[in-house]
Amino acid sequence: MKRRQFIASGTALGVTSLFSSRISHAVANPNAWLIGSTAAMTGPLGAFGLENQKGVKAALAQINAKGGIHDRPLQMEVLDDAYVPARSVENIKQLAANPAIVGLMSCLGTANNAAITPLIESAGLVHLAPLTGASSLRTSGLRNVFHIRASYSDEIERLVQNVASMGIKNPALVYADNAYGKEVAAEMMALLKKAGINVLGPFALSVDGKNTDAVAAQTVASIPSAVVLATTGAATTGLVAALRKVSPSMPIAGISPSLTQEGVRQLGTSARGVAITMVFPEPNRSKHQIIREYQGAMRATGEERFTTGSLEGYINTRVMAEALQRSGRATDREKLRQAVAGIRNFDLGGFQIDYSGTTARVGSRYVDLGILSGDGRIMS
């Protein structure tokens, strides 16, 4: 990405569903493989949780249309935690106590995953593809947690490389005032300073966005050459909108959780020029087989909008299906764990998962960087 493209693009400036606390993608089938999850379907990250589940739904429909896994359908039960860690804990207790739940997938949030991981380890439940890239959750001592997406550290490194290459010397850093934001901000500041870049701020943005206008004013008053985001959820949408009103040409960049697809939709042309790291291939380009299969599955469920959030849900479900296929007809929680751990060089068609050679159980190191266009798509 070139500095001219980044700055120039910044100058040219889903449908919400109501969910109960329990979400199932199909009528309960006693013969089904049942996967559980706790994730935000409401609250600050509700838009991302809903978008992710669209991809899960598409993958489940595609898998089950082909006969399921070992002639049994695959189903998922999601409990809404509204991005509140205490609710995540209660949801995991409920899921772990259900003997029909063979594993967990895509539990959402850094603080949420930090809260539930001890329960998951003690229950011996596989948790595939946590929806977080926090380095603090990628430790060698965890036996049951298997990441798919690259870490925030990988994303931050890629972002800082581009900031440095464009000659930006005085960026302002805005971070979410929670565990996720503080951890990401600390890593960003360390790498930016190592690259010889002076960081302005940092400025703390409340998760509920109540101090958005004040933070935007403080940020612009610091006279930055760009704004780097360690934020997430709905608050980021309000912040970007506020920054664009005051300084339409300000370059803005963040890592993948910074903006949800719903946030991009709400921003409209104001999202144009925002640079975002990506931990999955661009979902609107059909270069890779996995993207073509994802797009076909989404269209089969009536979805014509292709997003990184739903692509992540689709890929996570495909990997879970592969693990269940490998674990055998009479699988249980431990057999599923062994099957996931045994995945080596599994190529989905342009996106590869491999759990060999890493004690932190991270399946992918894929990171790219793109710029949002006026219609919300990513230009790499």
Side-chain angles (χ1 to χ4, degrees):
M1 180 178 62
K2 298 184 182 298
R3 175 182 172 88
R4 183 174 60 240
Q5 180 187 16
F6 181 38
I7 295 176
S9 57
T11 63
L13 297 177
V15 178
T16 301
S17 301
L18 297 179
F19 279 79
S20 65
S21 61
R22 182 185 299 274
I23 302 166
S24 293
H25 290 293
V27 176
N29 183 334
N31 187 47
W33 301 108
L34 188 59
I35 303 301
S37 181
T38 178
M41 298 292 111
T42 56
L45 282 189
F48 178 79
L50 293 171
E51 195 65 37
N52 185 267
Q53 287 303 308
K54 290 180 182 179
V56 173
K57 177 183 177 181
L60 291 175
Q62 187 180 65
I63 291 162
N64 292 334
K66 297 178 181 179
I69 311 297
H70 297 300
D71 301 319
R72 295 171 60 183
L74 178 59
Q75 294 184 1
M76 187 168 181
E77 181 173 341
V78 184
L79 302 183
D80 179 22
D81 57 35
Y83 197 45
V84 178
R87 288 180 59 177
S88 304
V89 169
E90 293 306 311
N91 288 347
I92 291 299
K93 287 179 179 177
Q94 180 178 334
L95 292 167
N98 182 356
I101 299 289
V102 70
L104 303 172
M105 186 180 81
S106 299
C107 298
L108 172 59
T110 296
N112 309 72
N113 275 285
I116 65 178
T117 295
L119 295 174
I120 291 170
E121 288 291 293
S122 63
L125 266 173
V126 162
H127 181 195
L128 179 66
L131 298 180
T132 173
S135 299
S136 60
L137 296 172
R138 297 174 179 229
T139 63
S140 58
L142 299 179
R143 186 170 184 266
N144 296 286
V145 180
F146 295 83
H147 299 269
I148 288 182
R149 59 159 49 222
S151 71
Y152 294 150
S153 296
D154 293 330
E155 294 189 63
I156 293 165
E157 183 177 358
R158 181 77 165 85
L159 187 64
V160 170
Q161 286 174 352
N162 278 268
V163 169
S165 70
M166 290 186 291
I168 293 174
K169 293 298 184 182
N170 297 288
L173 174 60
V174 181
Y175 68 95
D177 195 9
N178 63 4
Y180 156 80
K182 291 173 182 177
E183 180 174 333
V184 170
E187 290 195 52
M188 278 189 176
M189 287 185 68
L191 283 182
L192 286 165
K193 289 181 178 179
K194 185 178 180 180
I197 297 171
N198 178 47
V199 181
L200 304 177
F203 304 102
L205 179 68
S206 61
V207 176
D208 59 15
K210 288 183 178 179
N211 66 341
T212 297
D213 290 340
V215 169
Q218 291 172 340
T219 301
V220 173
S222 70
I223 315 178
S225 53
V227 177
V228 181
L229 303 174
T231 58
T232 189
T236 310
T237 308
L239 176 66
V240 173
L243 289 172
R244 285 289 190 238
K245 286 181 181 178
V246 179
S247 183
S249 63
M250 178 69 68
I252 301 173
I255 62 174
S256 61
S258 298
L259 277 172
T260 65
Q261 194 64 32
E262 177 61 19
V264 172
R265 187 193 67 78
Q266 291 176 8
L267 286 168
T269 56
S270 293
R272 180 180 297 155
V274 176
I276 294 289
T277 54
M278 303 181 294
V279 291
F280 296 95
E282 211 288 311
N284 287 286
R285 295 180 180 173
S286 55
K287 175 182 177 181
H288 301 296
Q289 176 185 335
I290 184 60
I291 301 301
R292 294 192 294 272
E293 293 176 358
Y294 153 75
Q295 291 177 350
M298 291 289 284
R299 289 192 176 103
T301 62
E303 292 286 345
E304 291 291 339
R305 292 175 64 247
F306 308 133
T307 67
T308 53
S310 58
L311 175 61
E312 182 169 10
Y314 177 83
I315 286 177
N316 293 349
T317 308
R318 287 283 303 274
V319 177
M320 176 62 81
E322 175 68 16
L324 282 166
Q325 184 68 44
R326 295 182 183 202
S327 65
R329 292 179 178 274
T331 196
D332 55 26
R333 292 177 176 181
E334 176 56 22
K335 288 179 180 177
L336 180 59
R337 189 199 69 78
Q338 293 176 10
V340 176
I343 292 177
R344 301 286 186 272
N345 299 315
F346 175 46
D347 190 352
L348 284 159
F351 189 82
Q352 186 169 288
I353 303 296
D354 190 336
Y355 290 113
S356 65
T358 171
T359 56
R361 302 184 186 279
V362 180
S364 169
R365 298 291 299 276
Y366 178 98
V367 181
D368 201 355
L369 190 87
I371 302 175
L372 289 168
S373 64
D375 62 0
R377 299 192 180 200
I378 296 176
M379 306 177 292
S380 58

